[in-house]
Amino acid sequence: MRILVIGGTWFLGKNIAEAALSKGWSVTTFNRGRSGQDVEGVETVHGDRTARNDLNRLAQQGPWDAVIDTSSSDFPPRDILLATTTLRAVARRWVHISTVSVYQGWPHQPLTDTSPRLDCPPDADETYGYTGGDGSPTVYGFQKAGGERAVAETFGDAAVFLRPGVILGPEEYVGRLPWWLERAKRGGRIVAPAPAEQRIQPVDVRDVADFALSMAASSASGGYNVTHPEGISFRAFLEACLNETGGAGAPVWVDPAVLVEQGVKQWTELPLWRTQAGVWSVDSGRAVAAGLRCRPITDTIRDTWRWWAGDGRPVHHPRWEEHGIAPDKEAKILASL
């Protein structure tokens, strides 16, 4: 197999490149060379995916059996369309890393792979879409839906869309799991979102990478929700964080209504917590049937802590600063109970 990874220097893209090399595949990566480091052993092309000349230069390095696009999040549909149309002649398949945010019902409704998606033109610019008053839908969701349409219109049945919810694991750049690990290590009374038995469905970055490669080598097409099929309860999640870090902490399970009243920002101040019913009700049955295999989330927690405790240094990302509740705010909530 000969593949092109758009991105390829950090987190998911890096894991895909490394896993492909371990299979003996030939790997080309395309990125601007501004963040992260190119994986040793890949053929690297540096350039801007929004520049036609750079894409034409990239195309000269083809052909490839598949393109895996891991870096579409920060680009509008028209830029995705530019890349797909420029590379179509030198790529047999396109595996597109998308998101569950493309669904009309997320995060309010349980979802399957066939749930209705947001509508966005394939040539839309970054202004298309809107964010609802309750935070749903989002401009981000519209943009990603338009990106999917751009790929579909160019590659048709040779396109695959992987729609993760939350991806965790070593070298995470957003900071969700590292924050919980650091909070567990600090110990004491820990504000935890009730109910304790609420199950969450994050997936390990390494499992997403393996599934992306299997889709690249297959003849599959269409969309696949990439969420953990078993999940883990929030109680077990925090217990694992405490066990791995050795923190002498005690979760205090706080009613969501109290957290909302206290102004706790969902999804960020308490990472992975959100009250809408569909957030962690995303069916991944089609992906599992196609070969998605997810390790226990406790393994993800263990390996992330080993990386983080060993001077883990993620690529700097602005979203890192969004995550985690301030100690004084947490103390105020605990004192009010």
Side-chain angles (χ1 to χ4, degrees):
M1 283 284 291
R2 190 164 191 261
I3 67 168
L4 167 64
V5 180
I6 303 181
T9 62
W10 60 345
F11 203 42
L12 179 57
K14 180 182 178 183
N15 274 271
I16 289 172
E18 291 176 338
L21 289 172
S22 73
K23 293 176 177 289
W25 293 8
S26 173
V27 182
T28 303
T29 59
F30 178 65
N31 54 70
R32 292 176 294 182
R34 298 178 184 173
S35 58
Q37 295 182 341
D38 295 306
V39 173
E40 184 177 353
V42 307
E43 177 185 2
T44 301
V45 179
H46 286 157
D48 185 341
R49 66 176 298 161
T50 68
R52 187 180 297 276
N53 288 341
D54 286 359
L55 289 169
N56 286 334
R57 178 168 51 84
L58 171 64
Q60 294 173 8
Q61 306 302 312
W64 295 281
D65 296 300
V67 175
I68 304 178
D69 188 357
T70 70
S71 70
S72 67
S73 294
D74 297 327
F75 299 92
R78 66 180 181 186
D79 289 337
I80 310 302
L81 187 62
L82 175 63
T84 57
T85 54
T86 304
L87 298 175
R88 182 64 181 100
V90 292
R92 181 175 61 87
R93 294 172 56 71
W94 190 286
V95 179
H96 196 70
I97 308 302
S98 186
T99 170
V100 294
S101 295
V102 300
Y103 291 113
Q104 294 178 18
W106 196 87
H108 299 286
Q109 302 169 7
L111 298 172
T112 70
D113 305 282
T114 60
S115 296
R117 281 166 283 147
L118 297 169
D119 186 29
C120 178
D123 58 351
D125 65 16
E126 63 276 4
T127 66
Y128 191 91
Y130 63 92
T131 296
D134 63 351
S136 173
T138 61
V139 170
Y140 173 74
F142 279 104
Q143 294 279 308
K144 292 290 278 187
E148 286 196 10
R149 280 193 61 187
V151 176
E153 291 200 1
T154 309
F155 278 82
D157 289 340
V160 174
F161 307 99
L162 305 188
R163 300 174 184 138
V166 172
I167 304 176
L168 302 178
E171 301 187 44
E172 179 196 336
Y173 62 87
V174 175
R176 295 183 177 105
L177 181 49
W179 184 84
W180 277 116
L181 288 164
E182 280 295 326
R183 181 62 192 89
K185 179 185 177 182
R186 194 166 80 241
R189 299 172 73 214
I190 302 172
V191 166
E197 301 312 317
Q198 169 67 55
R199 300 194 75 78
I200 59 178
Q201 297 176 285
V203 288
D204 192 291
V205 62
R206 296 162 291 185
D207 298 330
V208 181
D210 288 344
F211 187 56
L213 292 176
S214 70
M215 292 292 98
S218 75
S219 59
S221 64
Y224 296 83
N225 294 334
V226 186
T227 55
H228 202 292
E230 288 86 31
I232 188 173
S233 70
F234 228 115
R235 183 192 303 278
F237 174 84
L238 289 186
E239 287 176 350
C241 289
L242 289 163
N243 289 338
E244 292 298 334
T245 62
V252 178
W253 298 98
V254 183
D255 188 282
V258 174
L259 295 175
V260 171
E261 181 182 337
Q262 293 286 343
V264 177
K265 296 178 182 177
Q266 299 185 42
W267 212 233
T268 54
E269 285 193 297
L270 288 182
L272 308 179
W273 168 65
R274 200 163 176 172
T275 57
Q276 292 91 341
V279 173
W280 300 116
S281 186
V282 181
D283 178 48
S284 59
R286 186 168 190 249
V288 170
L292 173 66
R293 298 294 177 266
C294 292
R295 70 197 69 203
I297 295 172
T298 50
D299 289 1
T300 304
I301 294 169
R302 177 199 64 207
D303 295 344
T304 302
W305 175 244
R306 289 177 179 176
W307 160 72
W308 184 248
D311 197 26
R313 294 183 182 275
V315 176
H316 177 73
H317 194 280
R319 292 179 64 191
W320 188 277
E321 304 302 326
E322 298 176 0
H323 291 87
I325 189 170
D328 57 344
K329 186 171 183 177
E330 182 180 30
K332 179 181 176 182
I333 293 171
L334 290 168
S336 71
L337 300 177

